[in-house]
Amino acid sequence: MFSFALIILVFFGGILMSSIKVLQEYERGVIFRLGRLVGAKGPGLVLLLPGIDRMVKVGQRVITTDIPPQDVVTKDNVSIIVNAVLLFRVVDPVKAILNVESYLESTFQYAQTTLRSVLGSAELDVVLSERENLNKKVQEILDLHTEPWGVKVSAVEIKQVDLPKEMQRAMATQAEAERQRRAKVIAAEGEFQAAEKLVEACHILGTTYAAGGFWVDAFESVDAIKKTADLLNTTLPVLERAGITFGDRKNTRLNSSHANISYAVFCLKKKK
């Protein structure tokens, strides 16, 4: 008799324990009673009718998952490999259980398809330089289509874009050529500005010393003469075209044979 009562007590105790559920703060329980939806409950203590109620737990924390590398052909027919990270969470547990068989798998698969579609409609330069805009576009499309599932996509971030080796070499060559072009432009601008300043200086000196001429400062070393000779020989025709003439072009020309000259004298006068 005592054994039978003990068995009955254990049986009902087990049923009672199975009807008591505790949900964490980040969890919700979707309750079905005889197959019909009752609603979402939690967090805290939830009581179920044994054999009648069934509860499905749904977590509401942010889920982070990697989108595996995707082969994408861009709008300008360049093959690239792209991977990204997806962040989403359940905001409506009832929709997440009723409207889709597996909200996790569905969101994951749809994210891969959307990533390939969006990047495939953009050119390679856009993919490399405007990632933030592409991330936002993918996130908006996913958020729109997962809303009926009770899922909110927080962010989609492109992590890496792998280019073919041939494309990497071509881009490196292009970047090097661009740097060389900029260096040549800067050097040319410097020479142009120096020539302008020299012409202005000769105009000023020609006006100031109209009565005769002027002495050019003595060069401090032979190296200075050699370095300056080429500049003077190059700029003399430019100065003459600008309206400035020299007394004796033949005698004032400098070259390497003037290494023993301690200073140079140029007689500058206005062109008559």
Side-chain angles (χ1 to χ4, degrees):
M1 185 68 180
F2 176 76
S3 299
F4 180 75
L6 182 61
I7 293 174
I8 296 298
L9 182 61
V10 172
F11 176 74
F12 281 103
I15 293 177
L16 180 63
M17 293 298 297
S18 64
S19 64
I20 299 175
K21 302 293 183 182
V22 177
L23 298 177
Q24 303 297 327
E25 183 66 32
Y26 54 84
E27 292 179 327
R28 298 294 183 272
V30 180
I31 309 299
F32 293 91
R33 181 166 296 164
L34 297 177
R36 297 183 64 86
L37 176 67
V38 175
K41 295 184 179 181
L45 185 66
V46 178
L47 297 178
L48 303 176
L49 296 178
I52 298 177
D53 291 345
R54 182 175 68 90
M55 184 180 71
V56 180
K57 288 184 179 181
V58 179
Q60 290 193 302
R61 290 180 294 184
V62 174
I63 300 173
T64 303
T65 181
D66 279 331
I67 299 177
Q70 303 293 309
D71 292 327
V72 179
V73 179
T74 61
K75 189 176 181 180
D76 48 352
N77 297 323
V78 178
S79 179
I80 59 177
I81 299 177
V82 182
N83 63 337
V85 60
L86 173 67
L87 291 84
F88 65 96
R89 61 186 292 265
V90 176
V91 294
D92 192 331
V94 175
K95 289 183 179 180
I97 297 300
L98 291 183
N99 296 346
V100 62
E101 181 178 1
S102 174
Y103 66 89
L104 289 172
E105 184 66 21
S106 298
T107 303
F108 183 66
Q109 293 294 333
Y110 196 76
Q112 297 181 48
T113 304
T114 304
L115 181 65
R116 289 196 298 267
S117 177
V118 171
L119 297 186
S121 62
E123 296 183 354
L124 178 61
D125 290 341
V126 176
V127 174
L128 296 177
S129 61
E130 300 183 11
R131 289 193 184 184
E132 292 184 2
N133 293 336
L134 294 175
N135 292 337
K136 185 177 179 181
K137 186 175 181 180
V138 174
Q139 185 264 332
E140 290 176 349
I141 294 175
L142 282 175
D143 203 23
L144 178 64
H145 286 82
T146 58
E147 191 274 334
W149 306 339
V151 174
K152 170 65 177 178
V153 177
S154 303
V156 178
E157 294 290 338
I158 298 174
K159 294 200 301 183
Q160 186 174 353
V161 178
D162 294 329
L163 300 175
K165 297 295 183 182
E166 297 78 7
M167 181 59 64
Q168 293 181 15
R169 288 194 292 267
M171 294 179 67
T173 303
Q174 180 183 4
E176 183 179 359
E178 178 65 19
R179 288 193 296 269
Q180 292 178 355
R181 183 190 68 83
R182 292 179 181 178
K184 291 180 179 179
V185 169
I186 293 173
E189 289 179 350
E191 294 176 358
F192 178 75
Q193 293 174 3
E196 284 185 331
K197 295 298 183 182
L198 184 58
V199 171
E200 292 177 2
C202 289
H203 275 294
I204 295 172
L205 292 173
T207 302
T208 304
Y209 299 96
F214 70 95
W215 294 89
V216 177
D217 292 339
F219 294 105
E220 295 181 355
S221 66
V222 173
D223 290 338
I225 297 175
K226 292 180 178 180
K227 292 179 181 178
T228 310
D230 293 335
L231 176 62
L232 293 174
N233 291 331
T234 303
T235 55
L236 287 177
V238 178
L239 298 176
E240 289 180 351
R241 287 196 296 271
I244 301 171
T245 59
F246 296 86
D248 189 352
R249 174 71 175 275
K250 182 178 180 180
N251 295 331
T252 56
R253 180 175 180 83
L254 298 177
N255 51 47
S256 58
S257 64
H258 292 73
N260 59 347
I261 300 177
S262 60
Y263 60 90
V265 179
F266 297 90
C267 295
L268 183 64
K269 65 182 179 179
K270 291 185 177 180
K271 186 176 182 181
K272 294 183 180 179

